[in-house]
Amino acid sequence: MSAPMQTVSRFLRHPLLPQVEIRRVSSGNALSHARHSHDCHSFGAIRSGRSSYANGSKRIDVSSGDVVVVNPGDGHACNALPEHPWGYDMLYMDSTWLTERCQVPPGAAYCDIPMFSALTSREPRLHQAIVTLGNALESMHRTRLELESHCEVLADILRDTLHPQHIQAVSPRHLEHAREYLAEHWQQDLSLEALCTVAECGATSLINGFRRHYGMTPHAMLIDLRIRQARRRLRQGDAIASVAQDCGFADQAHFQRTFKRLLAATPGHYRSKVAAPP
């Protein structure tokens, strides 16, 4: 019995193209993706093998030549089906940059980012454009003009083949209602649906409206509010375990990791009146 092939995974980036990043995976059958979301547009070109793609309530089997389409905020997962080595290029594209290339018709009301209704595409030009961009990012000998041209061609293909719809932008007043709701209910296990109800908008509009107006997603703002409360409690000398529980964290370890990630200091260090050694 032959040994399984080793997974190869690389993240391809270039300082001249900050608007895109590609994860290039070969023999990725051992990878396991839980359902998650991104704050940008994502497009996955399946280069080999087959996989099961879940997005929202739908599940689709995709194979070599297919492209999966993921809008910002879409809960999704893609995992290999057995039989053949699974390879793909997953493109992450800045939504603001893409929006500038998918303009709404003249005279239309101001809208937010473009949204794609299709979950997959079998368009050969789109698949090839993603792989070609990946090849260019992988090479160290491409000119600025070539790299930028690959991106612009890809954006044109996305617009012309997937025909994005535009969602209405959320008014600052409605966003403020959602922000105030977060500030009042930060200790609760809040749902995105509840915030959308307060803001009178859809999930993607809410997430991107928060990013535009406040510089962070609703979830990031909720964590920030909890950390602020935790800092106040720690300054009072409260026990770390009780602070973690009272401030809405799953457990003390989760609180410690989050606190250190945001403040570059442990809760114990912050709580102490004596500076820790360098």
Side-chain angles (χ1 to χ4, degrees):
M1 183 176 179
S2 60
M5 297 182 65
Q6 183 176 2
T7 296
V8 178
S9 173
R10 288 164 290 174
F11 284 92
L12 308 176
R13 312 178 184 96
H14 198 289
L16 295 177
L17 295 180
Q19 69 271 31
V20 295
E21 174 184 73
I22 288 180
R23 185 183 189 186
R24 173 161 285 183
V25 171
S26 300
S27 301
N29 297 58
L31 297 178
S32 178
H33 299 86
R35 191 176 288 264
H36 61 288
S37 63
H38 306 296
D39 59 1
C40 64
H41 284 85
S42 310
F43 307 93
I46 311 301
R47 300 193 335 269
S48 61
R50 299 171 59 243
S51 55
S52 176
Y53 170 48
N55 189 322
S57 61
K58 297 184 178 179
R59 187 176 297 273
I60 307 168
D61 287 354
V62 291
S63 58
S64 179
D66 284 321
V67 174
V68 301
V69 180
V70 186
N71 290 306
D74 283 355
H76 69 284
C78 201
N79 289 292
L81 296 172
E83 302 162 10
H84 303 290
W86 182 41
Y88 62 87
D89 283 359
M90 193 68 190
L91 165 68
Y92 306 98
M93 178 174 284
D94 180 78
S95 295
T96 301
W97 183 88
L98 181 59
T99 299
E100 293 172 352
R101 286 147 183 82
C102 296
Q103 296 292 342
V104 297
Y110 172 70
C111 291
D112 208 325
I113 62 171
M115 297 294 289
F116 300 96
S117 57
L119 297 182
T120 63
S121 172
R122 194 71 185 175
E123 171 57 53
R125 291 187 299 144
L126 177 56
H127 187 279
Q128 185 57 49
I130 295 173
V131 174
T132 298
L133 178 59
N135 293 339
L137 290 171
E138 198 170 33
S139 172
M140 299 299 294
H141 306 288
R142 304 300 177 108
T143 65
R144 177 191 292 268
L145 180 60
E146 182 178 4
L147 290 169
E148 291 178 346
S149 296
H150 285 312
C151 273
E152 295 295 342
V153 168
L154 176 55
D156 285 344
I157 294 173
L158 286 169
R159 183 188 64 241
D160 294 343
T161 63
L162 295 181
H163 309 296
Q165 303 297 313
H166 288 260
I167 57 176
Q168 189 70 32
V170 188
S171 72
R173 179 170 60 87
H174 286 155
L175 289 174
E176 183 62 17
H177 290 166
R179 190 197 66 78
E180 291 173 351
Y181 187 84
L182 273 174
E184 293 173 5
H185 303 279
W186 59 270
Q187 287 179 295
Q188 300 177 16
D189 184 19
L190 296 173
S191 69
L192 192 59
E193 181 180 4
L195 289 174
C196 290
T197 299
V198 172
E200 301 179 28
C201 67
T204 302
S205 294
L206 180 73
I207 292 170
N208 286 281
F210 260 67
R211 288 178 61 216
R212 179 182 300 107
H213 287 272
Y214 303 121
M216 62 179 70
T217 65
H219 176 258
M221 181 174 287
L222 175 63
I223 297 303
D224 184 65
L225 288 167
R226 289 177 173 176
I227 290 295
R228 289 186 199 176
Q229 295 295 329
R231 291 175 65 184
R232 181 182 61 80
R233 291 277 302 275
L234 290 171
R235 287 195 299 269
Q236 295 173 353
D238 291 357
I240 294 174
S242 64
V243 171
Q245 181 178 7
D246 294 344
C247 290
F249 292 92
D251 51 39
Q252 186 171 335
H254 178 217
F255 171 53
Q256 300 240 24
R257 289 193 304 270
T258 305
F259 195 95
K260 187 173 183 179
R261 176 172 59 85
L262 294 181
L263 300 180
T266 65
H269 181 191
Y270 185 81
R271 184 174 178 269
S272 174
K273 296 180 180 179
V274 180

